[in-house]
Amino acid sequence: MIRRPPRSTRKESSAASDVYKRQLLIFTLLLPASISIVVDYMSKRKSVGVVPEDDKEERVSLDDKERRSIVSDLCATKGVAKTGLARTLKKLYDKGLLKDSLAASRHHVAATSLIAYRRQVQRSIEEDALYRETPYGTLLREVDLPTGEKRPRVLHYIHPMALIYLLCIVNASLFDLVKHIVDQGTRTFRIVVFMDGINPGNPLAPDPQRLLQGIYWTFLELPNWFLRRKDSWFVFSLGRDIHFNKLPGGLPDLVKLIIEIFFGNRTAEHSFKDGITISNSARNESVVVDVEFGGFLADEKGHKQGLGLKGQAGNTICLDCRNCKNRWCKLQAGEQYYWDPDLDNRKRLTTPLFKAIINAISTEPHKGTRENICVQYGINWVPTGILFSHLMCTVVDPTHCYLRDWMHTLVQDGVLSTEIALLVQAFSVFGMNTTFIQKWSQQLTYPHKIEGNPKRFFKPELMSTDHVKHFAGDVITMTFLLIGFAVENILTDDDVVKNALDGHVECFRYMFIILCILRRGEMTQRIADRLRDVVVEHARLFLRLY
């Protein structure tokens, strides 16, 4: 279980709420030039030269492509920012120093407003990078989406091999980081793909027409301090849910398409299965890296929809353990319920067993019998999806592809959200209800940067009987607050209250330790063993109390 990519917003749980604000490009070029440099450059262009005072001819027209080429060259001149360049070009045009406007309107004709100049500069910078040639092709690509609609749909994406190649050229530090990892003996890098839903606007009243899917990827071998930063998760694509859901198999078809682009035949010329060579032209150095698929990172909903699983609707809830069954199942020998803290009895899924399950579902001719098999193993029948693709067991290892996003799986939609609600109910028996705790929390002084909104903490309308209606950032901060509340109001109270609530506080303390270990991010074998022990102790105490 690893943490999802961090956000640029303060709230860790905004479910990619700021992704749509980010550029598809990981890098942008902010390059300066003075007015004299611009005028000197313009004087060397035949069609856009400086107009002599005695030259009364009309301004020459430029097509949109030539405009972008000129502005792109100017952007590559060191010395001026994008806004400064736009203002400089407009001022020169207004003073009559340019024969033609270097800005274009949406109809690709000359325009003279500052906004038009800003748009032209931005487009020139983006398109210069997006269509820049690399040994692995251009950065921006597109692939058809077989939605079956009359209007063809395409998915625009940033080719991962071209992106990492360009990033290592423009950023020597990234090249040095990769080279250092290779020099330490790691020649094979594992790719992890992260998918998350994006809901622009009000998350409590989502508009299905605006729902998006953000797709990112990274290398697991990058150091942990780097993976905890948003810039280490490279953008692959961004698309609308309504289009992906019209694929024959829905999101499992999209996941299959993504893996084909990374490792399959979608990019006929290049894919990661042949490895990648990255270089630093300034120092004439290069590094060859082998690449394999490391897994899918998602929350429970993401795994269910992306892989085509039944989740809580199946007898087997996930792909990890073949003997963990749902609550309504009658256990057979060697099986256990998914909440059983006896982790030593867990039996992991094996590749031969997975192949046998897929084969049994695929070859069953009767619909009813096939559905019974699907329910038994928790897999949906999606013949065009990733689980039934030849990529499984060749590119994707079904026994190690299930990576959980603990920010959702544990915090927002998991046991921590439930335990906070149950703990508050236990406190309320002794007069310390939600309103009391909320007033206590409002008296505190919070740091400037805090996860969550303090005004929302412990609001009665957001506290349910078995979970709290908060984002993960709120839940994390509320966990720290409840620990402080327990120390101040429970552990120092009279013996009756202390003895009655001691087990609840101890159980919550275990959860607090789990959260601290996961937030720390560093994971050694010793820390992993400690985490496992605490998880088991917490599970046993939680089951006894609640």
Side-chain angles (χ1 to χ4, degrees):
M1 185 189 296
I2 63 177
R3 180 180 175 177
R4 69 174 177 200
R7 307 296 179 206
S8 59
T9 55
R10 292 185 196 171
K11 294 175 65 172
E12 296 179 72
S13 66
S14 53
S17 61
D18 65 339
V19 177
Y20 63 96
K21 300 177 185 176
R22 294 171 55 189
Q23 301 269 342
L24 280 179
L25 292 176
I26 304 303
F27 53 91
T28 53
L29 308 175
L30 299 177
L31 306 165
S34 63
I35 293 180
S36 60
I37 293 177
V38 175
V39 174
D40 178 67
Y41 176 83
M42 291 299 182
S43 64
K44 299 175 183 178
R45 306 286 301 201
K46 292 182 179 179
S47 58
V48 202
V50 179
V51 182
E53 292 184 1
D54 58 347
D55 191 351
K56 304 299 183 181
E57 64 176 320
E58 295 183 358
R59 305 185 185 221
V60 180
S61 259
L62 293 176
D63 60 29
D64 193 48
K65 183 177 180 180
E66 188 170 3
R67 256 190 215 99
R68 289 200 304 271
S69 174
I70 295 171
V71 177
S72 178
D73 287 346
L74 285 173
C75 291
T77 306
K78 296 182 179 180
V80 78
K82 292 184 291 185
T83 301
L85 176 59
R87 289 174 177 169
T88 300
L89 293 176
K90 182 180 184 305
K91 183 70 69 174
L92 290 172
Y93 180 81
D94 292 342
K95 296 297 184 180
L97 296 177
L98 301 182
K99 290 184 177 180
D100 188 54
S101 169
L102 286 179
S105 69
R106 67 179 62 184
H107 303 295
H108 306 292
V109 297
T112 58
S113 68
L114 180 59
I115 294 177
Y117 271 102
R118 285 175 175 172
R119 288 174 180 166
Q120 188 65 47
V121 170
Q122 186 66 30
R123 287 178 59 202
S124 301
I125 292 176
E126 289 179 354
E127 296 196 9
D128 180 61
L130 286 173
Y131 296 102
R132 182 175 175 180
E133 285 293 335
T134 74
Y136 305 102
T138 58
L139 200 62
L140 184 64
R141 309 283 184 87
E142 64 179 44
V143 62
D144 293 333
L145 291 177
T147 59
E149 300 175 280
K150 292 183 179 179
R151 177 184 176 185
R153 300 287 183 185
V154 296
L155 174 68
H156 291 92
Y157 66 93
I158 296 179
H159 193 276
M161 299 183 75
L163 175 63
I164 201 69
Y165 181 87
L166 281 178
L167 286 178
C168 287
I169 288 179
V170 301
N171 192 325
S173 298
L174 179 60
F175 174 81
D176 292 339
L177 184 61
V178 175
K179 185 175 183 300
H180 174 73
I181 296 172
V182 173
D183 291 342
Q184 294 295 315
T186 303
R187 295 298 301 269
T188 301
F189 281 41
R190 293 168 296 169
I191 281 181
V192 169
V193 174
F194 171 70
M195 294 177 60
D196 199 5
I198 304 170
N199 179 21
N202 183 3
L204 301 179
D207 180 1
Q209 301 297 317
R210 302 181 65 191
L211 295 179
L212 305 170
Q213 280 290 336
I215 307 166
Y216 313 86
W217 66 277
T218 192
F219 292 120
L220 274 183
E221 279 61 37
L222 294 174
N224 187 69
W225 61 264
F226 188 43
L227 289 177
R228 291 171 65 88
R229 289 166 168 78
K230 65 180 184 298
D231 291 330
S232 67
W233 289 82
F234 311 120
V235 177
F236 175 78
S237 185
L238 188 68
R240 291 188 179 273
D241 257 5
I242 56 173
H243 298 155
F244 298 147
N245 291 331
K246 291 178 181 179
L247 293 169
L251 284 181
D253 284 18
L254 175 65
V255 173
K256 175 184 174 183
L257 180 66
I258 294 170
I259 299 302
E260 286 180 341
I261 291 174
F262 275 86
F263 294 97
N265 302 320
R266 286 284 173 175
T267 53
E269 304 155 358
H270 307 288
S271 72
F272 275 120
K273 66 182 180 182
D274 301 320
I276 181 173
T277 301
I278 58 175
S279 60
N280 186 294
S281 55
R283 291 183 302 203
N284 197 25
E285 293 181 308
S286 63
V287 175
V288 179
V289 177
D290 296 327
V291 181
E292 64 183 28
F293 185 68
F296 302 102
L297 174 62
D299 55 18
E300 181 187 9
K301 181 180 178 182
H303 281 302
K304 177 181 176 181
Q305 294 181 345
L307 297 180
L309 305 176
K310 289 189 176 295
Q312 292 288 344
N315 293 351
T316 304
I317 295 178
C318 73
L319 291 178
D320 268 349
C321 303
R322 68 177 189 265
N323 66 329
C324 288
K325 300 300 178 181
N326 216 327
R327 59 186 181 275
W328 59 70
C329 296
K330 185 177 180 180
L331 298 182
Q332 305 295 325
E335 295 179 343
Q336 61 182 149
Y337 290 115
Y338 63 85
W339 59 78
D340 194 326
D342 185 8
L343 301 183
D344 294 330
N345 194 38
R346 298 278 172 99
K347 297 179 180 178
R348 291 191 63 87
L349 179 71
T350 62
T351 300
L353 178 59
F354 174 81
K355 290 181 177 179
I357 294 172
I358 296 300
N359 183 65
I361 296 174
S362 303
T363 57
E364 177 54 51
H366 301 291
K367 182 178 179 180
T369 306
R370 182 171 62 236
E371 179 59 25
N372 291 335
I373 299 175
C374 289
V375 172
Q376 179 183 354
Y377 294 107
I379 297 175
N380 286 320
W381 169 236
V382 187
T384 58
I386 180 65
L387 292 184
F388 296 87
S389 167
H390 69 283
L391 297 171
M392 294 299 290
C393 303
T394 55
V395 174
V396 180
D397 183 353
T399 64
H400 292 88
C401 70
Y402 206 79
L403 307 179
R404 291 172 176 82
D405 162 22
W406 65 264
M407 286 290 291
H408 278 119
T409 308
L410 176 71
V411 178
Q412 183 174 354
D413 303 321
V415 66
L416 179 55
S417 174
T418 298
E419 188 165 356
I420 287 178
L422 297 175
L423 183 63
V424 171
Q425 290 180 52
F427 288 168
S428 65
V429 175
F430 296 92
M432 295 172 287
N433 57 16
T434 306
T435 304
F436 181 87
I437 299 175
Q438 184 190 22
K439 290 182 179 179
W440 176 86
S441 68
Q442 297 301 319
Q443 297 173 1
L444 302 177
T445 301
Y446 294 92
H448 177 65
K449 292 185 177 181
I450 186 173
E451 296 171 357
N453 182 1
K455 295 181 180 179
R456 292 168 48 90
F457 298 158
F458 304 106
K459 290 184 70 174
E461 58 267 30
L462 298 178
M463 302 288 291
S464 182
T465 56
D466 60 353
H467 69 284
V468 294
K469 304 173 184 177
H470 286 270
F471 292 122
D474 294 344
V475 176
I476 288 176
T477 304
M478 290 165 65
T479 303
F480 286 85
L481 292 176
L482 279 177
I483 289 292
F485 179 84
V487 170
E488 184 175 317
N489 297 277
I490 307 298
L491 301 182
T492 59
D493 214 324
D494 59 81
D495 292 339
V496 176
V497 176
K498 182 179 179 181
N499 293 335
L501 296 176
D502 188 57
H504 298 273
V505 175
E506 179 69 10
C507 184
F508 197 70
R509 187 181 71 86
Y510 282 131
M511 175 55 69
F512 178 72
I513 295 174
I514 294 171
L515 187 63
C516 290
I517 294 175
L518 292 175
R519 282 174 53 83
R520 178 181 178 181
E522 300 292 340
M523 189 61 64
T524 63
Q525 187 60 49
R526 183 180 64 83
I527 297 175
D529 293 339
R530 170 61 173 161
L531 177 61
R532 177 189 173 98
D533 294 339
V534 176
V535 167
V536 171
E537 290 300 321
H538 173 268
R540 289 173 177 166
L541 188 54
F542 184 89
L543 289 172
R544 180 170 64 84
L545 289 171
Y546 304 114

